[in-house]
């Protein structure tokens, strides 16, 4: 029985070492890289300033009741903020989000491509004034899963920066750079979601995690059965009995 257990543990441990070893290497490599890269740089905070601008102290705000009536639906939230140097009111209802002029209460048109570029230019912290290409996106991708539709402002800088601006609010919702793409690639390897890079409960991850536990268990059995002190004790017992 002891010999069969020893052989079984050896075979299981050997094959799991081959199968799991590659993924363990990827886990260690991806974890090391993600630990080394500063998260602020991954988020592109050194290139795009996403901190909200404060309202001027002398801003006269419109009557909230009048804004609620103008929204045309029950108000879920109402926020005062700055957009391209002017105070605006952002109202969220079940029908969507609308913008109003904070001084007059007049409804504002959603930001277009030109406004999206101006928003990105005003938040730009990088070098120079790189050329920009603006596209309207309507579907999610591996690179962007924020509010849709959105404006994608692609800048011709050394980091291949793409800034995403929500088409209804004009808020910068995401910044993607070459550093972020490298981080995201290794993140996908780390959680074993090679397609979408977001599912932390993939069957592959679960299978390899269980395999890792079995790998450890087989090694623990082998260590116990091959422990030098136990072998010396058995030899002494055999010599004394003879």
């Amino acid at each position: 029985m002891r010999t069969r257990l020893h052989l079984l543990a050896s075979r299981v441990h050997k094959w799991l070492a081959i199968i799991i070893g590659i993924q363990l290497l990827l886990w260690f490599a991806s974890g090391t890289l993600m630990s080394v890269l500063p998260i602020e740089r991954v988020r592109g905070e050194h290139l795009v300033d996403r901190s909200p601008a404060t309202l001027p102290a002398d801003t006269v705000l419109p009557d909230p009741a009048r804004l609620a009536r103008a929204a045309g639906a029950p108000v879920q939230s109402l926020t005062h903020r700055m957009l391209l140097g002017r105070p605006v009111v952002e109202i969220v209802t079940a029908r969507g989000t609308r913008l109003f002029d904070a001084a007059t209460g007049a409804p504002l048109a959603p930001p277009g491509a030109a406004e999206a570029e101006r928003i990105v230019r005003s938040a730009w912290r990088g070098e120079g004034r790189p050329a920009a290409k603006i596209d309207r996106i309507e579907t999610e991708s591996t690179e962007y899963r924020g509010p849709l539709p959105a404006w994608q402002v692609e800048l011709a800088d050394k980091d291949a920066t793409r800034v995403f601006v929500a088409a209804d609010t004009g808020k910068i919702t995401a910044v993607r750079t070459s550093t972020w793409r490298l981080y995201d690639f290794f993140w996908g390897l780390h959680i074993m979601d090679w397609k979408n890079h977001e599912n932390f409960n993939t069957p592959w991850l679960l299978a390899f995690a269980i395999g890792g536990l079995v790998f450890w268990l087989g090694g623990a059995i082998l260590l116990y059965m091959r422990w030098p002190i136990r072998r010396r004790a058995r030899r002494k017992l055999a010599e004394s009995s003879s």
Side-chain angles (χ1 to χ4, degrees), residues 18-62:
I18 296 173
I19 297 171
I20 296 178
I22 297 175
Q23 183 58 38
L24 285 175
L25 177 62
L26 292 176
W27 276 337
F28 295 148
S30 58
T32 300
L33 182 134
M34 290 187 294
S35 299
V36 168
L37 290 176
I39 193 62
E40 297 80 11
R41 191 170 187 85
V42 173
R43 293 171 179 164
E45 295 179 7
H46 63 297
L47 296 174
V48 178
D49 182 10
R50 297 176 62 180
S51 57
T54 57
L55 290 172
D58 58 351
T59 302
V60 179
L61 301 179

Side-chain angles (χ1 to χ4, degrees), residues 178-196:
S178 55
T179 303
W180 181 92
R181 295 179 192 101
L182 178 66
Y183 185 98
D184 186 62
F185 172 75
F186 278 96
W187 171 251
L189 293 180
H190 198 75
I191 64 174
M192 302 186 74
D193 181 5
W194 304 293
K195 181 180 179 182
N196 297 318

